[in-house]
Amino acid sequence: MAEHEAGDPHRHPPATAGQTPDPARGGPAGEVAGGTGGDAGSAAPDGRGAADGQGDQGSQGGQGARGDGRRAVLALACAAQFMVILDVSVVNVALPSIKDSLGFDAVGLQWVVGAYAIAFAGLLLLGGRLADLYGRRRVFLCGLALFSLSSLVGGLAGAPGVLIAMRAVQGLGAAVLAPATLTILTTTFAEGQGRTRALATWTAVSSAGGAAGNLIGGVLTQSLSWRWTLLINAPIGLLTGLLALRLLPADRARAAARRLDVPGAALATIGVTGLVFGVTQAERHGWAGPATLAGLGGGALALAGLWWVEARHAGDPLIPRALLRAPGVRVGNAVMLLAGACFIPMWYFLSLYMQDVLHYGALATGLGFLPHTLAGIVAARLAPLAMRRVGARALIVASALLAAGGFLWQSALGPHSDYVTGLLGPALVMSTGMGLLITPITTTVTSGVAPDAAGAASGLMNAARQVGGTFGLAVLVSVAGTAAGAVAGYQRAFWAIAGLCALVAALAAALPPSPPARTTDARPTPDTPDAPGDDPPDQPTGAEATR
């Protein structure tokens, strides 16, 4: 992060009525790490953007999209995020067909899922920083092209090795694309209710993508072919790319002084990839297996090297130092890590229960997840209203405890439970808790981040969620494996997930205080007046309330 900006009077204007000066942050309360978090491009009257010298970011914020334009950008970002999350699970129900079609053995088949997951999680930190340095539209389009072209080649693959390689390239494209979608939103919508609503929509779409993967995969595999679980991305990606060229403002020339931290990027990628590889091997070889220990040990060493390089030698770190000094970023990402460990494994255990115990087919299993999907979407859309009333921190605690109750209920399933008595009730409770939880966490870890670090913040948050989910699944599979029988294992896993949710609530208490939000988007400066169609204020604040 560019710390030299602290002396720029345009970066930290005098506090107005309704703002409380915060000397620790160098400006009005709510600023973190050198930026106000408002519309990029509106922070400096000279039009250079919130980060002086950051040439490619100044026009990406509030001036770039107003009213209908902002809603179109939101739809674009959500469409891309849906594709990315969908492909985490869309091939799961197609695996038997893929095995028969291409002649996979049991060991090779796991890499159809594993290659995507490892590349995705391992490259998220790098993908997020690329958007800061090379421009959000440019990086968004590159990630989309990689994702779509690899989907096309993978869908046409005639050999196992080709499909696995293309799934890895898909993961690379997703790691570039996912942080870019969140970065575009946080720099298009100023902090306040407008951004919270946008993040709630993005969260709802992410939840829908994860849950819909099994359903869409089942429909495509059963009605067409497993190949269409990948091929469908090509036309969607082409349409999304054309819309991005039309909707996203062009990136300005990159400042020559800013370069990618190559050693940091390499160490971060090796570290996270090694850890993810290690935990995936634990499912097959145990925690003491050579492959598991090599992955975990190599990953830990690389991350230790990353800390040393970033602290001592990096001029423009992969993860800006000031970003990690913000309590909301540090604790918020720890909360997101644990939340991922709770929620991502849920789909795995429920899918096995429906197919192995209730004997559902692929399509019926996908349909069985519809209540989870709908409850999560509705709850995510209600999260901004709840945040306005109780604040982000209180909502995180309450929703984590609600989800814990749902998982405790789910742990009561038995070998003779039917769908209504064994799944539907718990689904509504825990999915409501999940839907309410993710939006306030996302808002917390992206609030107050300067635009020139928005990509790094987005990559860090996405990486925390994916790594948490991967670790959580490996640990919970081990926990379930110690039980006598499959159903007893599922019960034990859901008990453990309930405990993790309670830990999320406890850790969330360490987040910075977040009073109920009573304001809307930050008001534009006199240099960036409201354009027609911009969201109207919900109620006056500060000095305006006394007029």
Side-chain angles (χ1 to χ4, degrees), residues 461-475:
M461 190 205 76
N462 278 282
R465 186 175 183 178
Q466 293 303 319
V467 171
T470 303
F471 268 87
L473 179 59
V475 171

Side-chain angles (χ1 to χ4, degrees), residues 363-402:
L363 182 57
T365 299
L367 290 171
F369 283 121
L370 275 180
H372 303 76
T373 305
L374 296 176
I377 291 173
V378 171
R381 296 296 294 161
L382 292 175
L385 177 61
M387 287 175 63
R388 292 179 66 185
R389 294 184 178 277
V390 302
R393 184 173 67 175
L395 181 58
I396 294 171
V397 172
S399 55
L401 293 176
L402 178 63

Side-chain angles (χ1 to χ4, degrees), residues 83-84 87-88 111-125 127 143-144 146-148 150-151 163-179 230 233 273 466:
M83 291 173 60
V84 167
D87 268 66
V88 174
W111 285 104
V112 176
V113 176
Y116 183 93
I118 290 173
F120 184 28
L123 293 162
L124 275 166
L125 290 175
L144 185 64
L146 274 175
F147 187 86
S148 302
S150 58
S151 297
L163 178 58
I164 291 173
M166 289 303 101
R167 286 287 286 171
V169 178
Q170 261 192 309
L172 168 60
V176 174
L177 188 58
L230 300 176
N233 289 325
T273 302
Q466 293 303 319

Side-chain angles (χ1 to χ4, degrees), residues 99-181:
K99 179 181 179 181
D100 294 339
S101 175
L102 298 183
F104 272 98
D105 58 25
V107 174
L109 189 63
Q110 68 170 329
W111 285 104
V112 176
V113 176
Y116 183 93
I118 290 173
F120 184 28
L123 293 162
L124 275 166
L125 290 175
L126 173 61
R129 196 56 172 155
L130 289 176
D132 291 333
L133 297 179
Y134 298 101
R136 291 158 198 132
R137 187 172 84 154
R138 187 179 296 117
V139 170
F140 179 92
L141 290 171
C142 287
L144 185 64
L146 274 175
F147 187 86
S148 302
L149 289 174
S150 58
S151 297
L152 177 62
V153 177
L156 298 174
V162 175
L163 178 58
I164 291 173
M166 289 303 101
R167 286 287 286 171
V169 178
Q170 261 192 309
L172 168 60
V176 174
L177 188 58
T181 65

